[in-house]
Amino acid sequence: WNEAAFSFKKECVVAGIPGFDVTLGAWVPGDIHSYVVKNGAPTEAYDASDHVAIIRAGTPSYTFYLMNSGESVLTVDRPWVEVANPAVTINVSGDALTPGPLDQKAKSLVLDFACEERCKTDVIVYLRVSAGTVAYGFRKDCKPLTVHKQEADTPHEVMRQAERITNRDGASNRLSSILLGVVLGASATLLYNNFFASPQAKGYQKAKMGD
């Protein structure tokens, strides 16, 4: 007989954690439609196993906000994300990646989507809280996009796009100014050489060009 051994770690998703909330960017206290998770339980639209929430293809990034609206002491660990379709990759960033206590000051969880092709995928987000693990899900519609065609759904993304456009346009304006200066300088030099330069100077330039 050959013996084999293996081990695993079991993550248990809890039914609820009083005070633990995950909200959208346009959060309205008490409005259930602006919550992803309320008191540690996902809302109907973001149920991990039967979600109907959709992040549309024109949204390359989305931000969720974690907070503690209760009186219990809560701490959060580093979250992780599962993506069903390998054609979609997600970069996770934000304050929520730093383990620590959670209070009424929201911590951001930013998901940046990269799509290799037009497709759809289910996404499950797992949040480790001191009282247990909470999971919520949504569907992401994807298509490869350029920066010019990307559209944002949240104020956070509108601000990020504005910064990208400002930086891009600023660089373009500086390059245009440099090119314009070069053209004007060359034109002035040519005009001077044709009308004011001495014959010797003109002959020297022609000889150099001929060589």
Side-chain angles (χ1 to χ4, degrees), residues 31-107:
D31 181 3
I32 194 63
H33 298 293
S34 61
Y35 286 84
V36 176
V37 173
K38 179 66 175 173
N39 287 323
T43 58
E44 183 177 357
Y46 289 89
D47 184 88
S49 58
D50 188 24
H51 42 267
V52 295
I54 300 173
I55 297 180
R56 61 191 177 87
T59 303
S61 181
Y62 210 88
T63 303
F64 300 95
Y65 297 91
L66 285 60
M67 65 190 316
N68 181 6
S69 60
E71 298 181 357
S72 301
V73 177
L74 296 176
T75 59
V76 292
D77 204 345
R78 190 179 180 89
W80 79 95
V81 179
E82 292 183 352
V83 186
N85 193 328
V88 180
T89 56
I90 300 179
N91 180 63
V92 185
S93 60
D95 301 334
L97 291 188
T98 304
L102 187 65
D103 51 30
Q104 293 185 353
K105 183 179 179 181
K107 289 190 174 185

Side-chain angles (χ1 to χ4, degrees), residues 101-162:
L102 187 65
D103 51 30
Q104 293 185 353
K105 183 179 179 181
K107 289 190 174 185
S108 62
L109 180 64
V110 184
L111 306 183
D112 293 306
F113 305 97
C115 308
E116 296 180 1
E117 61 188 25
R118 185 182 291 272
C119 61
K120 304 178 186 296
T121 187
D122 290 314
V123 179
I124 307 296
V125 179
Y126 293 91
L127 304 172
R128 289 178 174 173
V129 190
S130 51
T133 300
V134 177
Y136 68 87
F138 57 87
R139 190 185 78 186
K140 179 69 177 82
D141 291 346
C142 270
K143 63 180 180 180
L145 298 174
T146 63
V147 173
H148 299 285
K149 294 181 180 179
Q150 290 176 350
E151 300 176 10
D153 280 350
T154 65
H156 171 81
E157 281 310 307
V158 171
M159 189 180 305
R160 289 179 61 182
Q161 267 200 16

